[in-house]
Amino acid sequence: MMNIIKVDVVEHWQKASVMLKDAIDLSNGRHTIESTYDNLVKGAMRLYAVYVKKIITSYFVTQIVIYPAKAVLGIIFCGGSQVIRYIKEIETFFKNEAMINGCKGCEIIGRNGWSKVIDNIPSLNFQAKGVFYEMDI
């Protein structure tokens, strides 16, 4: 049995920060452990725990992203284990969270490995829409 719950940041941060560190470090400085924690505490981001048989296996961080024509639920970070095993249930959960929060969609910006997961599970609703490039100056 898998369950996802929005959790208290202060109570969960010690364990969550360990699971999320690698994902946060891939942001090329756009986020840090400290800035993520600060935004979670302020309510600009939300922290979710994934429980499998009452054991936390992973954490997700989300943020509502407001574009000129619509708002979407950005799944900013995930870390931990068993995410791929429960990916369809996780997708359904965050789709519902997006709707509850007035968003018109969900988005993920992730490493290349996610494209293999999404492409190989036809029941997922996420679709690749482009490629993300960046340059530091």
Coordinates of all heavy atoms in Angstrom, one line a residue, residues 83-133:
V83 N 10.2 5.1 -6.4 CA 9.4 6.1 -7.1 C 8.9 5.5 -8.4 O 7.7 5.6 -8.8 CB 10.2 7.4 -7.4 CG1 9.5 8.3 -8.3 CG2 10.6 8.1 -6.1
I84 N 9.8 4.9 -9.2 CA 9.4 4.3 -10.5 C 8.3 3.2 -10.3 O 7.3 3.1 -11.0 CB 10.6 3.8 -11.2 CG1 11.5 5.0 -11.6 CG2 10.2 3.0 -12.5 CD1 12.8 4.6 -12.2
R85 N 8.5 2.4 -9.2 CA 7.5 1.3 -9.0 C 6.1 1.9 -8.8 O 5.1 1.3 -9.2 CB 7.9 0.6 -7.7 CG 7.0 -0.5 -7.4 CD 7.5 -1.3 -6.2 NE 6.6 -2.4 -5.9 CZ 6.8 -3.2 -4.9 NH1 7.8 -3.1 -4.1 NH2 5.9 -4.2 -4.7
Y86 N 5.9 3.1 -8.2 CA 4.6 3.7 -7.9 C 4.4 4.9 -8.8 O 3.5 5.7 -8.4 CB 4.5 4.0 -6.4 CG 4.5 2.8 -5.6 CD1 5.7 2.4 -4.9 CD2 3.4 2.0 -5.4 CE1 5.7 1.2 -4.1 CE2 3.4 0.9 -4.6 CZ 4.5 0.5 -4.0 OH 4.5 -0.7 -3.2
I87 N 5.0 5.1 -9.9 CA 5.0 6.3 -10.7 C 3.6 6.7 -11.1 O 3.2 7.8 -11.1 CB 6.0 6.3 -11.8 CG1 6.2 7.7 -12.4 CG2 5.6 5.3 -12.9 CD1 6.9 8.7 -11.5
K88 N 2.8 5.7 -11.5 CA 1.4 6.0 -12.0 C 0.6 6.5 -10.8 O -0.2 7.5 -11.0 CB 0.7 4.8 -12.6 CG -0.6 5.1 -13.2 CD -0.6 6.1 -14.3 CE -2.0 6.5 -14.8 NZ -2.0 7.6 -15.7
E89 N 0.7 5.9 -9.7 CA -0.1 6.4 -8.5 C 0.4 7.8 -8.1 O -0.4 8.7 -7.7 CB 0.1 5.4 -7.3 CG -0.6 4.1 -7.6 CD 0.3 3.1 -8.2 OE1 1.4 3.4 -8.8 OE2 0.0 1.9 -8.1
I90 N 1.7 8.0 -8.2 CA 2.3 9.3 -7.8 C 1.8 10.4 -8.8 O 1.4 11.5 -8.4 CB 3.8 9.2 -7.8 CG1 4.3 8.4 -6.6 CG2 4.5 10.6 -7.8 CD1 5.7 8.0 -6.7
E91 N 1.8 10.0 -10.1 CA 1.3 11.0 -11.1 C -0.2 11.3 -10.8 O -0.6 12.5 -10.9 CB 1.4 10.4 -12.5 CG 0.8 11.3 -13.6 CD 0.7 10.6 -14.9 OE1 -0.1 9.6 -15.0 OE2 1.3 11.0 -15.9
T92 N -1.0 10.3 -10.5 CA -2.4 10.6 -10.3 C -2.6 11.5 -9.0 O -3.4 12.4 -9.0 CB -3.2 9.2 -10.0 OG1 -3.1 8.5 -11.2 CG2 -4.6 9.4 -9.7
F93 N -1.8 11.2 -8.0 CA -1.9 12.1 -6.8 C -1.6 13.5 -7.1 O -2.3 14.4 -6.8 CB -0.9 11.6 -5.7 CG -0.8 12.5 -4.5 CD1 -1.8 12.4 -3.5 CD2 0.1 13.5 -4.4 CE1 -1.7 13.2 -2.4 CE2 0.2 14.3 -3.3 CZ -0.8 14.2 -2.3
F94 N -0.5 13.8 -7.9 CA -0.1 15.2 -8.1 C -1.0 15.8 -9.2 O -1.2 17.0 -9.1 CB 1.4 15.3 -8.5 CG 2.3 15.1 -7.3 CD1 3.1 14.1 -7.2 CD2 2.2 16.1 -6.3 CE1 3.9 13.9 -6.0 CE2 3.0 16.0 -5.2 CZ 3.9 14.9 -5.0
K95 N -1.6 15.1 -10.0 CA -2.6 15.6 -10.9 C -3.8 16.1 -10.1 O -4.3 17.2 -10.4 CB -3.1 14.5 -11.9 CG -4.1 15.0 -12.9 CD -4.4 13.9 -13.9 CE -5.5 14.2 -14.8 NZ -5.9 13.1 -15.7
N96 N -4.2 15.4 -9.1 CA -5.3 15.8 -8.3 C -4.9 17.0 -7.4 O -5.7 17.9 -7.2 CB -5.8 14.6 -7.4 CG -6.5 13.6 -8.1 OD1 -7.1 13.8 -9.2 ND2 -6.5 12.3 -7.6
E97 N -3.7 17.0 -6.9 CA -3.2 18.2 -6.1 C -3.2 19.4 -7.0 O -3.6 20.5 -6.5 CB -1.8 17.9 -5.6 CG -1.7 17.0 -4.4 CD -2.3 17.7 -3.2 OE1 -1.7 18.6 -2.7 OE2 -3.3 17.2 -2.7
A98 N -2.8 19.3 -8.3 CA -2.9 20.4 -9.2 C -4.3 21.0 -9.3 O -4.5 22.2 -9.3 CB -2.3 20.0 -10.5
M99 N -5.2 20.1 -9.6 CA -6.6 20.5 -9.8 C -7.2 21.2 -8.5 O -7.8 22.2 -8.6 CB -7.5 19.3 -10.2 CG -7.2 18.9 -11.6 SD -8.3 17.6 -12.3 CE -7.9 16.2 -11.3
I100 N -6.9 20.6 -7.4 CA -7.4 21.1 -6.1 C -6.8 22.5 -5.9 O -7.5 23.4 -5.3 CB -7.0 20.2 -4.9 CG1 -7.8 18.9 -4.9 CG2 -7.1 20.9 -3.6 CD1 -7.2 17.8 -4.0
N101 N -5.6 22.8 -6.4 CA -5.0 24.1 -6.2 C -5.2 25.0 -7.4 O -4.5 26.1 -7.5 CB -3.5 23.9 -5.9 CG -3.3 23.3 -4.5 OD1 -3.3 24.1 -3.5 ND2 -3.0 22.1 -4.4
G102 N -6.1 24.7 -8.2 CA -6.5 25.6 -9.3 C -5.5 25.7 -10.5 O -5.5 26.6 -11.3
C103 N -4.6 24.7 -10.6 CA -3.7 24.6 -11.6 C -4.3 23.9 -12.9 O -5.2 23.1 -12.7 CB -2.4 23.8 -11.2 SG -1.5 24.6 -9.9
K104 N -3.8 24.2 -14.0 CA -4.3 23.7 -15.3 C -3.3 22.6 -15.8 O -3.6 22.1 -16.9 CB -4.4 24.8 -16.3 CG -5.4 25.9 -15.9 CD -6.8 25.3 -15.8 CE -7.7 26.4 -15.4 NZ -9.0 26.0 -14.9
G105 N -2.3 22.2 -15.1 CA -1.4 21.2 -15.5 C -0.3 20.9 -14.5 O -0.3 21.5 -13.4
C106 N 0.5 20.0 -14.8 CA 1.7 19.6 -14.0 C 2.9 19.7 -14.9 O 2.8 19.4 -16.1 CB 1.6 18.2 -13.4 SG 0.3 18.0 -12.2
E107 N 4.1 20.0 -14.3 CA 5.3 19.9 -15.1 C 6.4 19.4 -14.3 O 6.4 19.5 -13.0 CB 5.7 21.3 -15.6 CG 6.1 22.3 -14.6 CD 6.5 23.7 -15.2 OE1 6.1 24.0 -16.3 OE2 7.2 24.4 -14.4
I108 N 7.4 18.7 -15.0 CA 8.6 18.2 -14.3 C 9.7 18.6 -15.2 O 9.7 18.5 -16.4 CB 8.5 16.6 -14.3 CG1 7.3 16.1 -13.6 CG2 9.8 16.1 -13.7 CD1 7.2 14.6 -13.7
I109 N 10.7 19.2 -14.5 CA 12.0 19.4 -15.2 C 13.0 18.4 -14.5 O 13.2 18.5 -13.3 CB 12.5 20.8 -15.1 CG1 11.5 21.8 -15.8 CG2 13.9 21.0 -15.6 CD1 11.8 23.2 -15.6
G110 N 13.5 17.5 -15.2 CA 14.4 16.5 -14.6 C 15.5 16.1 -15.4 O 15.7 16.5 -16.6
R111 N 16.3 15.2 -14.9 CA 17.5 14.6 -15.6 C 17.0 13.8 -16.8 O 15.8 13.3 -16.8 CB 18.4 13.9 -14.7 CG 17.8 12.8 -14.0 CD 18.8 12.1 -13.1 NE 18.2 11.1 -12.3 CZ 17.8 9.9 -12.7 NH1 18.0 9.6 -14.0 NH2 17.2 9.0 -12.0
N112 N 17.9 13.5 -17.7 CA 17.5 12.7 -18.9 C 16.9 11.3 -18.6 O 16.1 10.9 -19.4 CB 18.8 12.5 -19.8 CG 19.2 13.8 -20.5 OD1 18.4 14.7 -20.6 ND2 20.5 13.9 -20.8
G113 N 17.3 10.7 -17.5 CA 16.8 9.4 -17.2 C 15.3 9.3 -17.1 O 14.7 8.3 -17.3
W114 N 14.7 10.4 -16.7 CA 13.2 10.4 -16.6 C 12.5 10.2 -17.9 O 11.4 9.6 -18.0 CB 12.7 11.7 -16.0 CG 12.9 11.7 -14.5 CD1 13.8 12.3 -13.7 CD2 12.1 10.9 -13.6 NE1 13.6 12.0 -12.4 CE2 12.6 11.1 -12.3 CE3 11.1 10.0 -13.8 CZ2 12.0 10.4 -11.2 CZ3 10.5 9.3 -12.7 CH2 11.0 9.5 -11.4
S115 N 13.1 10.6 -19.0 CA 12.5 10.4 -20.3 C 12.3 8.9 -20.6 O 11.3 8.5 -21.2 CB 13.3 11.1 -21.5 OG 14.5 10.5 -21.6
K116 N 13.3 8.1 -20.2 CA 13.2 6.7 -20.4 C 12.0 6.1 -19.6 O 11.2 5.3 -20.1 CB 14.5 6.0 -20.0 CG 15.6 6.3 -20.9 CD 16.9 5.6 -20.4 CE 18.1 6.1 -21.1 NZ 19.3 5.7 -20.5
V117 N 11.9 6.6 -18.4 CA 10.8 6.1 -17.5 C 9.4 6.5 -18.1 O 8.5 5.7 -18.3 CB 10.9 6.7 -16.1 CG1 9.7 6.4 -15.2 CG2 12.2 6.2 -15.4
I118 N 9.3 7.8 -18.5 CA 8.0 8.3 -19.0 C 7.7 7.6 -20.3 O 6.5 7.2 -20.6 CB 8.0 9.8 -19.0 CG1 8.0 10.3 -17.6 CG2 6.9 10.3 -19.8 CD1 8.3 11.8 -17.5
D119 N 8.7 7.5 -21.2 CA 8.4 6.9 -22.5 C 8.1 5.4 -22.4 O 7.3 4.9 -23.3 CB 9.6 7.0 -23.4 CG 9.9 8.5 -23.8 OD1 9.0 9.3 -23.7 OD2 11.0 8.8 -24.3
N120 N 8.5 4.7 -21.4 CA 8.3 3.2 -21.3 C 7.1 2.9 -20.5 O 6.8 1.7 -20.3 CB 9.6 2.6 -20.7 CG 10.7 2.6 -21.7 OD1 10.5 2.4 -22.9 ND2 11.9 2.7 -21.2
I121 N 6.4 3.8 -20.0 CA 5.1 3.5 -19.3 C 4.0 4.3 -20.0 O 3.7 5.4 -19.7 CB 5.2 4.0 -17.8 CG1 6.4 3.3 -17.1 CG2 3.9 3.6 -17.0 CD1 6.7 3.7 -15.7
P122 N 3.4 3.6 -21.0 CA 2.4 4.3 -21.8 C 1.2 4.9 -21.0 O 0.5 5.8 -21.5 CB 2.0 3.3 -22.8 CG 2.7 2.0 -22.5 CD 3.6 2.3 -21.3
S123 N 0.9 4.4 -19.9 CA -0.3 4.8 -19.1 C 0.0 6.2 -18.5 O -1.0 6.8 -18.0 CB -0.7 3.8 -18.1 OG 0.3 3.7 -17.1
L124 N 1.2 6.7 -18.4 CA 1.5 8.0 -17.9 C 1.0 9.1 -18.8 O 1.1 8.9 -20.0 CB 3.0 8.2 -17.6 CG 3.6 7.3 -16.5 CD1 5.1 7.5 -16.4 CD2 3.0 7.5 -15.2
N125 N 0.6 10.1 -18.3 CA 0.0 11.2 -19.1 C 1.1 12.3 -19.4 O 0.8 13.2 -20.3 CB -1.1 11.9 -18.3 CG -2.3 11.0 -18.3 OD1 -2.8 10.5 -19.3 ND2 -2.8 10.8 -17.1
F126 N 2.2 12.3 -18.8 CA 3.3 13.2 -19.1 C 3.8 13.0 -20.5 O 4.0 11.8 -20.9 CB 4.4 13.1 -18.1 CG 4.2 13.9 -16.8 CD1 3.8 13.1 -15.7 CD2 4.3 15.2 -16.7 CE1 3.5 13.8 -14.5 CE2 4.0 15.9 -15.5 CZ 3.7 15.2 -14.4
Q127 N 4.1 14.1 -21.2 CA 4.7 14.0 -22.5 C 5.9 14.9 -22.6 O 5.8 16.0 -22.1 CB 3.7 14.4 -23.6 CG 2.5 13.5 -23.6 CD 1.4 14.1 -24.6 OE1 1.6 15.2 -25.1 NE2 0.4 13.4 -24.8
A128 N 6.9 14.5 -23.3 CA 8.1 15.3 -23.5 C 7.6 16.5 -24.5 O 7.0 16.2 -25.5 CB 9.2 14.5 -24.1
K129 N 8.0 17.7 -24.1 CA 7.6 18.8 -24.9 C 8.8 19.6 -25.4 O 8.6 20.6 -26.2 CB 6.7 19.8 -24.1 CG 5.4 19.2 -23.7 CD 4.5 19.0 -25.0 CE 3.1 18.5 -24.6 NZ 2.2 18.4 -25.7
G130 N 10.0 19.2 -25.1 CA 11.1 20.0 -25.5 C 12.3 19.6 -24.8 O 12.3 18.6 -24.0
V131 N 13.4 20.3 -24.9 CA 14.6 20.1 -24.3 C 15.0 21.3 -23.5 O 14.8 22.4 -24.0 CB 15.7 19.7 -25.3 CG1 17.1 19.4 -24.6 CG2 15.3 18.5 -26.1
F132 N 15.6 21.2 -22.4 CA 16.0 22.3 -21.5 C 17.5 22.5 -21.6 O 18.3 21.5 -21.4 CB 15.6 22.0 -20.1 CG 16.0 23.0 -19.1 CD1 15.2 24.2 -19.0 CD2 17.1 22.9 -18.3 CE1 15.5 25.1 -18.0 CE2 17.4 23.8 -17.3 CZ 16.6 25.0 -17.2
Y133 N 18.0 23.6 -22.0 CA 19.4 24.0 -22.1 C 19.6 25.1 -21.2 O 18.8 26.0 -20.9 CB 19.8 24.4 -23.5 CG 19.7 23.3 -24.5 CD1 18.5 23.2 -25.3 CD2 20.7 22.3 -24.7 CE1 18.4 22.1 -26.2 CE2 20.5 21.3 -25.6 CZ 19.4 21.2 -26.4 OH 19.3 20.2 -27.3

